PDB file of all heavy atoms in Angstrom:
ATOM      1  N   ASN A1367     290.868-136.647  90.038  1.00  0.00           N
ATOM      2  CA  ASN A1367     290.590-135.380  89.211  1.00  0.00           C
ATOM      3  C   ASN A1367     290.025-134.204  89.995  1.00  0.00           C
ATOM      4  O   ASN A1367     289.345-133.378  89.488  1.00  0.00           O
ATOM      5  CB  ASN A1367     289.764-135.763  88.105  1.00  0.00           C
ATOM      6  CG  ASN A1367     288.690-136.798  88.498  1.00  0.00           C
ATOM      7  OD1 ASN A1367     288.378-136.807  89.669  1.00  0.00           O
ATOM      8  ND2 ASN A1367     288.229-137.511  87.514  1.00  0.00           N
ATOM      9  N   GLY A1368     290.268-134.194  91.353  1.00  0.00           N
ATOM     10  CA  GLY A1368     289.786-133.121  92.077  1.00  0.00           C
ATOM     11  C   GLY A1368     288.335-133.304  92.426  1.00  0.00           C
ATOM     12  O   GLY A1368     287.648-132.454  93.017  1.00  0.00           O
ATOM     13  N   GLN A1369     287.729-134.427  92.003  1.00  0.00           N
ATOM     14  CA  GLN A1369     286.260-134.726  92.203  1.00  0.00           C
ATOM     15  C   GLN A1369     286.111-135.426  93.513  1.00  0.00           C
ATOM     16  O   GLN A1369     287.227-135.878  94.196  1.00  0.00           O
ATOM     17  CB  GLN A1369     285.770-135.662  91.034  1.00  0.00           C
ATOM     18  CG  GLN A1369     286.057-135.153  89.725  1.00  0.00           C
ATOM     19  CD  GLN A1369     284.971-134.009  89.318  1.00  0.00           C
ATOM     20  OE1 GLN A1369     285.041-132.918  89.708  1.00  0.00           O
ATOM     21  NE2 GLN A1369     284.122-134.512  88.466  1.00  0.00           N
ATOM     22  N   HIS A1370     284.920-135.686  93.908  1.00  0.00           N
ATOM     23  CA  HIS A1370     284.586-136.543  95.106  1.00  0.00           C
ATOM     24  C   HIS A1370     283.742-137.721  94.694  1.00  0.00           C
ATOM     25  O   HIS A1370     282.956-137.673  93.788  1.00  0.00           O
ATOM     26  CB  HIS A1370     283.889-135.677  96.064  1.00  0.00           C
ATOM     27  CG  HIS A1370     284.719-134.636  96.680  1.00  0.00           C
ATOM     28  ND1 HIS A1370     284.640-133.245  96.454  1.00  0.00           N
ATOM     29  CD2 HIS A1370     285.550-134.741  97.721  1.00  0.00           C
ATOM     30  CE1 HIS A1370     285.449-132.617  97.092  1.00  0.00           C
ATOM     31  NE2 HIS A1370     286.083-133.438  97.896  1.00  0.00           N
ATOM     32  N   ARG A1371     283.962-138.831  95.429  1.00  0.00           N
ATOM     33  CA  ARG A1371     283.142-139.974  95.239  1.00  0.00           C
ATOM     34  C   ARG A1371     282.376-140.046  96.515  1.00  0.00           C
ATOM     35  O   ARG A1371     282.807-139.889  97.668  1.00  0.00           O
ATOM     36  CB  ARG A1371     283.920-141.241  95.126  1.00  0.00           C
ATOM     37  CG  ARG A1371     283.199-142.459  94.807  1.00  0.00           C
ATOM     38  CD  ARG A1371     284.168-143.617  94.461  1.00  0.00           C
ATOM     39  NE  ARG A1371     284.958-143.952  95.535  1.00  0.00           N
ATOM     40  CZ  ARG A1371     284.457-144.692  96.442  1.00  0.00           C
ATOM     41  NH1 ARG A1371     283.337-145.219  96.463  1.00  0.00           N
ATOM     42  NH2 ARG A1371     285.296-145.053  97.638  1.00  0.00           N
ATOM     43  N   ARG A1372     281.018-140.027  96.430  1.00  0.00           N
ATOM     44  CA  ARG A1372     280.149-140.125  97.729  1.00  0.00           C
ATOM     45  C   ARG A1372     280.011-141.414  98.228  1.00  0.00           C
ATOM     46  O   ARG A1372     279.428-142.348  97.510  1.00  0.00           O
ATOM     47  CB  ARG A1372     278.787-139.326  97.284  1.00  0.00           C
ATOM     48  CG  ARG A1372     277.883-139.347  98.515  1.00  0.00           C
ATOM     49  CD  ARG A1372     276.990-138.140  98.577  1.00  0.00           C
ATOM     50  NE  ARG A1372     277.762-136.931  98.829  1.00  0.00           N
ATOM     51  CZ  ARG A1372     277.032-135.710  99.092  1.00  0.00           C
ATOM     52  NH1 ARG A1372     275.755-135.761  99.212  1.00  0.00           N
ATOM     53  NH2 ARG A1372     277.682-134.676  99.407  1.00  0.00           N
ATOM     54  N   VAL A1373     280.314-141.661  99.471  1.00  0.00           N
ATOM     55  CA  VAL A1373     280.077-142.896 100.184  1.00  0.00           C
ATOM     56  C   VAL A1373     278.958-142.603 101.273  1.00  0.00           C
ATOM     57  O   VAL A1373     279.019-141.547 101.899  1.00  0.00           O
ATOM     58  CB  VAL A1373     281.363-143.393 100.799  1.00  0.00           C
ATOM     59  CG1 VAL A1373     281.138-144.647 101.672  1.00  0.00           C
ATOM     60  CG2 VAL A1373     282.473-143.626  99.721  1.00  0.00           C
ATOM     61  N   ILE A1374     278.054-143.455 101.379  1.00  0.00           N
ATOM     62  CA  ILE A1374     277.030-143.391 102.418  1.00  0.00           C
ATOM     63  C   ILE A1374     277.333-144.357 103.610  1.00  0.00           C
ATOM     64  O   ILE A1374     277.581-145.537 103.315  1.00  0.00           O
ATOM     65  CB  ILE A1374     275.605-143.712 101.885  1.00  0.00           C
ATOM     66  CG1 ILE A1374     275.219-142.889 100.651  1.00  0.00           C
ATOM     67  CG2 ILE A1374     274.540-143.694 102.857  1.00  0.00           C
ATOM     68  CD1 ILE A1374     275.062-141.302 100.954  1.00  0.00           C
ATOM     69  N   ALA A1375     277.340-143.769 104.719  1.00  0.00           N
ATOM     70  CA  ALA A1375     277.582-144.628 106.043  1.00  0.00           C
ATOM     71  C   ALA A1375     276.354-144.409 106.911  1.00  0.00           C
ATOM     72  O   ALA A1375     276.030-143.376 107.413  1.00  0.00           O
ATOM     73  CB  ALA A1375     278.861-144.121 106.790  1.00  0.00           C
ATOM     74  N   LYS A1376     275.580-145.451 106.972  1.00  0.00           N
ATOM     75  CA  LYS A1376     274.200-145.312 107.638  1.00  0.00           C
ATOM     76  C   LYS A1376     273.924-146.644 108.407  1.00  0.00           C
ATOM     77  O   LYS A1376     274.401-147.602 108.150  1.00  0.00           O
ATOM     78  CB  LYS A1376     273.184-145.264 106.476  1.00  0.00           C
ATOM     79  CG  LYS A1376     271.813-144.777 106.893  1.00  0.00           C
ATOM     80  CD  LYS A1376     271.018-144.611 105.660  1.00  0.00           C
ATOM     81  CE  LYS A1376     269.543-144.396 105.913  1.00  0.00           C
ATOM     82  NZ  LYS A1376     268.953-145.338 106.694  1.00  0.00           N
ATOM     83  N   HIS A1377     272.984-146.515 109.350  1.00  0.00           N
ATOM     84  CA  HIS A1377     272.621-147.663 110.150  1.00  0.00           C
ATOM     85  C   HIS A1377     271.354-148.386 109.543  1.00  0.00           C
ATOM     86  O   HIS A1377     270.372-147.736 109.108  1.00  0.00           O
ATOM     87  CB  HIS A1377     272.424-147.309 111.599  1.00  0.00           C
ATOM     88  CG  HIS A1377     271.143-146.423 111.830  1.00  0.00           C
ATOM     89  ND1 HIS A1377     271.037-145.165 111.398  1.00  0.00           N
ATOM     90  CD2 HIS A1377     270.044-146.758 112.504  1.00  0.00           C
ATOM     91  CE1 HIS A1377     269.906-144.620 111.713  1.00  0.00           C
ATOM     92  NE2 HIS A1377     269.182-145.538 112.455  1.00  0.00           N
ATOM     93  N   PHE A1378     271.448-149.764 109.463  1.00  0.00           N
ATOM     94  CA  PHE A1378     270.430-150.606 109.057  1.00  0.00           C
ATOM     95  C   PHE A1378     270.317-151.750 110.097  1.00  0.00           C
ATOM     96  O   PHE A1378     271.031-152.744 109.914  1.00  0.00           O
ATOM     97  CB  PHE A1378     270.781-151.237 107.717  1.00  0.00           C
ATOM     98  CG  PHE A1378     270.938-150.199 106.504  1.00  0.00           C
ATOM     99  CD1 PHE A1378     272.152-149.529 106.240  1.00  0.00           C
ATOM    100  CD2 PHE A1378     269.803-149.948 105.661  1.00  0.00           C
ATOM    101  CE1 PHE A1378     272.198-148.694 105.298  1.00  0.00           C
ATOM    102  CE2 PHE A1378     269.948-149.033 104.707  1.00  0.00           C
ATOM    103  CZ  PHE A1378     271.104-148.373 104.458  1.00  0.00           C
ATOM    104  N   PRO A1379     269.602-151.607 111.116  1.00  0.00           N
ATOM    105  CA  PRO A1379     269.572-152.714 112.199  1.00  0.00           C
ATOM    106  C   PRO A1379     269.071-154.003 111.659  1.00  0.00           C
ATOM    107  O   PRO A1379     268.033-154.016 111.055  1.00  0.00           O
ATOM    108  CB  PRO A1379     268.631-152.020 113.287  1.00  0.00           C
ATOM    109  CG  PRO A1379     267.946-150.971 112.543  1.00  0.00           C
ATOM    110  CD  PRO A1379     268.742-150.453 111.469  1.00  0.00           C
ATOM    111  N   ILE A1380     269.923-154.998 111.736  1.00  0.00           N
ATOM    112  CA  ILE A1380     269.531-156.313 111.132  1.00  0.00           C
ATOM    113  C   ILE A1380     268.458-156.974 112.009  1.00  0.00           C
ATOM    114  O   ILE A1380     268.214-156.595 113.206  1.00  0.00           O
ATOM    115  CB  ILE A1380     270.833-157.267 111.141  1.00  0.00           C
ATOM    116  CG1 ILE A1380     270.656-158.271 110.086  1.00  0.00           C
ATOM    117  CG2 ILE A1380     271.123-157.768 112.506  1.00  0.00           C
ATOM    118  CD1 ILE A1380     271.939-159.125 109.791  1.00  0.00           C
ATOM    119  N   SER A1381     267.739-157.945 111.473  1.00  0.00           N
ATOM    120  CA  SER A1381     266.661-158.651 112.214  1.00  0.00           C
ATOM    121  C   SER A1381     266.654-160.044 111.731  1.00  0.00           C
ATOM    122  O   SER A1381     267.667-160.586 111.330  1.00  0.00           O
ATOM    123  CB  SER A1381     265.336-157.894 111.816  1.00  0.00           C
ATOM    124  OG  SER A1381     264.391-158.375 112.653  1.00  0.00           O
ATOM    125  N   ILE A1382     265.532-160.716 112.130  1.00  0.00           N
ATOM    126  CA  ILE A1382     265.333-162.116 111.912  1.00  0.00           C
ATOM    127  C   ILE A1382     264.177-162.376 110.997  1.00  0.00           C
ATOM    128  O   ILE A1382     263.288-161.337 110.710  1.00  0.00           O
ATOM    129  CB  ILE A1382     265.190-162.776 113.247  1.00  0.00           C
ATOM    130  CG1 ILE A1382     263.857-162.224 113.951  1.00  0.00           C
ATOM    131  CG2 ILE A1382     266.278-162.678 114.106  1.00  0.00           C
ATOM    132  CD1 ILE A1382     263.365-163.065 115.092  1.00  0.00           C
ATOM    133  N   ASP A1383     263.954-163.675 110.576  1.00  0.00           N
ATOM    134  CA  ASP A1383     262.747-163.964 109.893  1.00  0.00           C
ATOM    135  C   ASP A1383     261.580-164.335 110.865  1.00  0.00           C
ATOM    136  O   ASP A1383     261.418-165.470 111.392  1.00  0.00           O
ATOM    137  CB  ASP A1383     263.069-165.357 109.016  1.00  0.00           C
ATOM    138  CG  ASP A1383     261.854-165.682 108.103  1.00  0.00           C
ATOM    139  OD1 ASP A1383     260.733-165.193 108.400  1.00  0.00           O
ATOM    140  OD2 ASP A1383     262.101-166.481 107.236  1.00  0.00           O
ATOM    141  N   ALA A1384     261.058-163.242 111.399  1.00  0.00           N
ATOM    142  CA  ALA A1384     260.145-163.276 112.534  1.00  0.00           C
ATOM    143  C   ALA A1384     259.017-164.316 112.257  1.00  0.00           C
ATOM    144  O   ALA A1384     258.649-165.071 113.182  1.00  0.00           O
ATOM    145  CB  ALA A1384     259.516-161.856 112.841  1.00  0.00           C
ATOM    146  N   ALA A1385     258.375-164.288 111.097  1.00  0.00           N
ATOM    147  CA  ALA A1385     257.298-165.122 110.842  1.00  0.00           C
ATOM    148  C   ALA A1385     257.729-166.539 110.848  1.00  0.00           C
ATOM    149  O   ALA A1385     256.857-167.453 111.334  1.00  0.00           O
ATOM    150  CB  ALA A1385     256.698-164.838 109.387  1.00  0.00           C
ATOM    151  N   ALA A1386     258.901-166.999 110.483  1.00  0.00           N
ATOM    152  CA  ALA A1386     259.272-168.326 110.543  1.00  0.00           C
ATOM    153  C   ALA A1386     259.451-168.796 111.985  1.00  0.00           C
ATOM    154  O   ALA A1386     259.108-169.945 112.269  1.00  0.00           O
ATOM    155  CB  ALA A1386     260.542-168.464 109.815  1.00  0.00           C
ATOM    156  N   TYR A1387     259.945-167.842 112.803  1.00  0.00           N
ATOM    157  CA  TYR A1387     259.988-168.230 114.267  1.00  0.00           C
ATOM    158  C   TYR A1387     258.628-168.405 114.877  1.00  0.00           C
ATOM    159  O   TYR A1387     258.415-169.407 115.576  1.00  0.00           O
ATOM    160  CB  TYR A1387     260.784-167.247 115.056  1.00  0.00           C
ATOM    161  CG  TYR A1387     262.358-167.513 114.903  1.00  0.00           C
ATOM    162  CD1 TYR A1387     263.115-166.835 113.915  1.00  0.00           C
ATOM    163  CD2 TYR A1387     262.904-168.268 115.858  1.00  0.00           C
ATOM    164  CE1 TYR A1387     264.471-167.246 113.874  1.00  0.00           C
ATOM    165  CE2 TYR A1387     264.272-168.527 115.780  1.00  0.00           C
ATOM    166  CZ  TYR A1387     265.026-168.072 114.759  1.00  0.00           C
ATOM    167  OH  TYR A1387     266.365-168.339 114.650  1.00  0.00           O
ATOM    168  N   GLU A1388     257.806-167.573 114.493  1.00  0.00           N
ATOM    169  CA  GLU A1388     256.443-167.679 115.120  1.00  0.00           C
ATOM    170  C   GLU A1388     255.673-168.846 114.652  1.00  0.00           C
ATOM    171  O   GLU A1388     255.081-169.690 115.398  1.00  0.00           O
ATOM    172  CB  GLU A1388     255.544-166.445 114.614  1.00  0.00           C
ATOM    173  CG  GLU A1388     254.180-166.520 115.179  1.00  0.00           C
ATOM    174  CD  GLU A1388     253.354-165.348 114.973  1.00  0.00           C
ATOM    175  OE1 GLU A1388     253.122-164.995 113.643  1.00  0.00           O
ATOM    176  OE2 GLU A1388     252.826-164.684 115.830  1.00  0.00           O
ATOM    177  N   GLU A1389     255.927-169.178 113.267  1.00  0.00           N
ATOM    178  CA  GLU A1389     255.323-170.419 112.714  1.00  0.00           C
ATOM    179  C   GLU A1389     255.772-171.671 113.504  1.00  0.00           C
ATOM    180  O   GLU A1389     254.982-172.566 113.897  1.00  0.00           O
ATOM    181  CB  GLU A1389     255.633-170.449 111.280  1.00  0.00           C
ATOM    182  CG  GLU A1389     255.038-171.742 110.468  1.00  0.00           C
ATOM    183  CD  GLU A1389     255.881-172.979 110.584  1.00  0.00           C
ATOM    184  OE1 GLU A1389     257.107-172.818 110.360  1.00  0.00           O
ATOM    185  OE2 GLU A1389     255.327-173.965 110.821  1.00  0.00           O
ATOM    186  N   MET A1390     257.104-171.763 113.794  1.00  0.00           N
ATOM    187  CA  MET A1390     257.626-172.834 114.533  1.00  0.00           C
ATOM    188  C   MET A1390     257.101-172.942 115.967  1.00  0.00           C
ATOM    189  O   MET A1390     256.729-174.016 116.366  1.00  0.00           O
ATOM    190  CB  MET A1390     259.207-172.789 114.698  1.00  0.00           C
ATOM    191  CG  MET A1390     259.832-173.053 113.331  1.00  0.00           C
ATOM    192  SD  MET A1390     261.659-172.773 113.465  1.00  0.00           S
ATOM    193  CE  MET A1390     262.060-174.344 114.189  1.00  0.00           C
ATOM    194  N   ALA A1391     256.954-171.808 116.534  1.00  0.00           N
ATOM    195  CA  ALA A1391     256.431-171.662 117.953  1.00  0.00           C
ATOM    196  C   ALA A1391     254.882-172.199 118.035  1.00  0.00           C
ATOM    197  O   ALA A1391     254.457-172.516 119.090  1.00  0.00           O
ATOM    198  CB  ALA A1391     256.472-170.356 118.476  1.00  0.00           C
TER     199      ALA A1391
END
Side-chain angles (χ1 to χ4, degrees):
N1367 38 25
Q1369 308 278 77
H1370 289 102
R1371 189 171 64 83
R1372 177 149 289 191
V1373 175
I1374 302 296
K1376 190 180 176 303
H1377 66 295
F1378 296 88
I1380 200 170
S1381 193
I1382 58 165
D1383 185 348
Y1387 275 91
E1388 182 179 55
E1389 183 273 316
M1390 287 175 84

